[in-house]
Amino acid sequence: MRRIKKFRHGGLYQRGQAFVGGQSIENAYLPNHALLIFREHEAAGEPDLAVNEGQLVNEGQLLAKATRNNALNVHASIPGIVRKIMTIPSPEGFNTRALVLSLQGHFKLNGAISGKRPWQSLNRHELSFVLQEKGVACTATGLGLHQILGNAHGVDTLIINAIDSTNYPAHEIVILEEYLNEVMEGCAIIKKASTVQSVLVALSGSRNQKLEVNIAKAAESFDLQYRIEYFSDKYPQAFPHQIISALGVNKNKNPCLFLVPGTLYAVYNAVSLNRPHIDQFVTFGGDVLKHHQLLKVRIGTPVGRLIEECGGFIHAPEIIALNNPMVNGCISNLDTPVSKTTRSVWALSKSATRLGVPDNCIRCGACIQVCPERLDPYLMYKLLGSGSIEKIRGQLDACTSCGACSYVCRSRIPLSVHFKNKKKEKLKDEQ
Ligand code: SF4
Ligand code: SF4
């Protein structure tokens, strides 16, 4: 019998409310204009420009070169003319340089049959260099893969995180199923480029037996020692520290490396096919989107264009959110481009957002019961309101902004948004 693991305290189930599921991956139409941002997260360094306005560039050409370890190379996702170089606000609110490319010229990578690179002869440093050169980012965090591997000292296990535990899944499981050999080759590359010895495939408990058989075949062909573990659908089970908690391992004694299938596919592309990180898998869903789809998209494609490709809206959305709406904010502009960390886009009605005019706290305690970090969101909110931030400094640091407390709050108090903003303010004050 299959044993389902789950983290111990709090969490919530959102069963029966998933907006999408069951479809396969389609290639999105290529954009006429691509907007390429230079920084994927606030702490990232900015790469140096390698092109000028008006210059014609090839598909895959280097546009901005990382000169710091925490920066990423940026490549042309389409061939074209560099129309404009500017500074724009990212969807997360920090400023980043960006570049507009207008489609022109020939595709050199699209549809080209390229030979595979015999990467098995490369050593750890050479593989890390290739990942850096191709601008490969962890699609869950935006960190450069070369940076992650550089910090992964003594890591023994690579965990392929394909758990979907929210209403807003990125459908990493579909990427794993459809590109299983590529993902497994990505694992073999990571193994060669690090101290990783074995692979753990983390799946939601409802997956079928056939996938197990296919994983076994693929792991054998890449000589990978592996095991599969099943996890509950309880949110936020897919958070790495909750996987560790459910496995019951000591993260200091057994440090693990977490990567999602989409990132491993980018690793395979970069190392085996010599292709920069210019594609991204993005789920489009939500109750006011006409057709739900999982698209393979060129980075820089405006979200609005992809929403059109999904048939547009049934009626005007209350919000459009990127990735997990319980954690991330929403976008106000349909020109927002797909970046290396865009994994899903949600067009939601007011009722689906669970937003409303906040009422007074009724002291129901639901937020305390659901908090997976054993915090007291009600007390945190109250003390923050009275300016007593010092009294809950520890709780604020332990908050993962998972949003479970806000989701269950009967008074519609946006607790987690409040905590996230306070944490940001605190961080700025300390700098
Ligand atoms: S957002 Fe923070 S306080 Fe709220 S449930 Fe998650 S960890 Fe707990
Ligand atoms: S869930 Fe909302 S209403 Fe209930 S105790 Fe927490 S803050 Fe108050």
Side-chain angles (χ1 to χ4, degrees):
M1 202 172 108
R2 186 177 286 176
R3 207 168 151 242
I4 312 272
K5 293 185 163 30
K6 64 178 174 196
F7 60 91
R8 293 185 189 100
H9 188 268
L12 58 97
Y13 291 97
Q14 299 176 309
R15 281 194 189 115
Q17 298 173 47
F19 292 127
V20 284
Q23 64 274 76
S24 57
I25 301 168
E26 305 281 343
N27 284 320
Y29 292 122
L30 295 162
N32 291 326
H33 305 281
L35 176 61
L36 294 143
I37 61 169
F38 286 13
R39 290 165 67 216
E40 294 287 340
H41 60 94
E42 198 161 8
E46 194 150 283
D48 297 339
L49 257 181
V51 290
N52 301 311
E53 280 183 1
Q55 188 175 332
L56 182 65
V57 297
N58 293 323
E59 184 190 19
Q61 185 173 327
L62 185 69
L63 302 176
K65 183 162 178 54
T67 48
R68 299 168 199 84
N69 196 41
N70 65 349
L72 280 170
N73 281 350
V74 179
H75 298 85
S77 55
I78 52 172
I81 297 272
V82 179
R83 281 276 169 238
K84 203 171 177 187
I85 297 160
M86 57 200 173
T87 298
I88 59 162
S90 73
E92 284 78 32
F94 61 87
N95 282 341
T96 172
R97 274 217 283 188
L99 177 156
V100 180
L101 263 185
S102 296
L103 184 65
Q104 197 168 311
H106 304 290
F107 285 88
K108 293 207 164 166
L109 301 173
N110 196 31
I113 301 166
S114 54
K116 285 183 77 173
R117 185 206 307 255
W119 57 264
Q120 289 81 354
S121 59
L122 301 182
N123 66 32
R124 190 177 290 183
H125 301 293
E126 288 164 338
L127 287 169
S128 184
F129 177 77
V130 174
L131 292 170
Q132 182 171 22
E133 197 210 340
K134 299 295 175 197
V136 179
C138 168
T139 58
T141 62
L143 290 169
L145 247 282
H146 64 282
Q147 198 186 348
I148 292 175
L149 292 178
N151 294 329
H153 307 295
V155 163
D156 180 67
T157 309
L158 165 61
I159 298 186
I160 307 179
N161 186 357
I163 302 170
D164 282 338
S165 64
T166 68
N167 270 351
Y168 314 104
H171 290 97
E172 295 292 345
I173 185 66
V174 183
I175 303 168
L176 181 67
E177 284 170 340
E178 290 206 15
Y179 294 97
L180 183 58
N181 283 319
E182 290 84 349
V183 170
M184 283 304 192
E185 189 163 342
C187 291
I189 292 165
I190 294 296
K191 186 175 166 225
K192 185 98 203 280
S194 67
T195 55
V196 163
Q197 296 296 315
S198 65
V199 172
L200 187 156
V201 188
L203 302 177
S204 294
S206 49
R207 301 320 298 181
N208 64 29
Q209 211 81 33
K210 197 171 158 226
L211 183 60
E212 276 188 24
V213 177
N214 292 342
I215 288 174
K217 276 192 210 152
E220 193 186 343
S221 65
F222 293 105
D223 199 20
L224 286 170
Q225 196 188 326
Y226 83 100
R227 76 179 207 267
I228 298 173
E229 293 285 1
Y230 292 95
F231 294 83
S232 79
D233 296 332
K234 191 166 70 160
Y235 178 78
Q237 184 60 81
F239 283 26
H241 72 289
Q242 301 298 7
I243 295 177
I244 290 289
S245 159
L247 286 170
V249 296
N250 181 329
K251 66 175 181 199
N252 297 322
K253 276 192 191 158
N254 307 94
C256 300
L257 175 60
F258 287 85
L259 293 175
V260 294
T263 305
L264 290 161
Y265 180 79
V267 167
Y268 159 81
N269 264 318
V271 175
S272 198
L273 300 186
N274 203 21
R275 185 182 170 96
H277 192 168
I278 57 171
D279 301 295
Q280 185 73 3
F281 296 105
V282 188
T283 294
F284 287 81
D287 62 336
V288 298
L289 192 68
K290 203 159 186 187
H291 304 298
H292 298 160
Q293 294 203 64
L294 177 45
L295 298 173
K296 192 173 166 198
V297 174
R298 285 298 165 103
I299 287 170
T301 307
V303 163
R305 188 188 160 97
L306 296 160
I307 286 175
E308 266 172 39
E309 201 170 326
C310 296
F313 302 122
I314 298 165
H315 53 82
E318 177 73 12
I319 63 161
I320 299 169
L322 299 184
N323 300 330
N324 178 359
M326 288 173 69
V327 174
N328 298 93
C330 41
I331 56 169
S332 52
N333 187 341
L334 288 176
D335 289 334
T336 301
V338 165
S339 74
K340 292 176 184 175
T341 53
T342 311
R343 296 195 292 153
S344 56
V345 176
W346 302 96
L348 303 172
S349 68
K350 192 165 185 177
S351 61
T353 61
R354 297 174 73 89
L355 291 172
V357 181
D359 221 328
N360 290 331
C361 170
I362 53 167
R363 297 183 164 201
C364 65
C367 55
I368 302 168
Q369 277 172 18
V370 86
C371 177
E373 308 305 326
R374 299 173 192 267
L375 307 177
D376 186 338
Y378 155 68
L379 184 70
M380 288 163 72
Y381 181 70
K382 199 173 148 195
L383 291 177
L384 283 177
S386 63
S388 312
I389 189 165
E390 280 310 319
K391 289 186 183 160
I392 47 136
R393 188 172 281 273
Q395 291 211 40
L396 211 52
D397 288 343
C399 171
T400 59
S401 305
C402 71
C405 52
S406 313
Y407 188 86
V408 296
C409 179
R410 289 164 207 179
S411 297
R412 297 282 179 259
I413 302 171
L415 298 158
S416 58
V417 176
H418 204 61
F419 304 152
K420 204 172 171 181
N421 291 340
K422 282 290 169 196
K423 273 174 100 164
K424 265 193 188 166
E425 279 173 29
K426 187 163 100 55
L427 216 67
K428 267 193 191 146
D429 290 347
E430 286 166 2
Q431 277 168 1

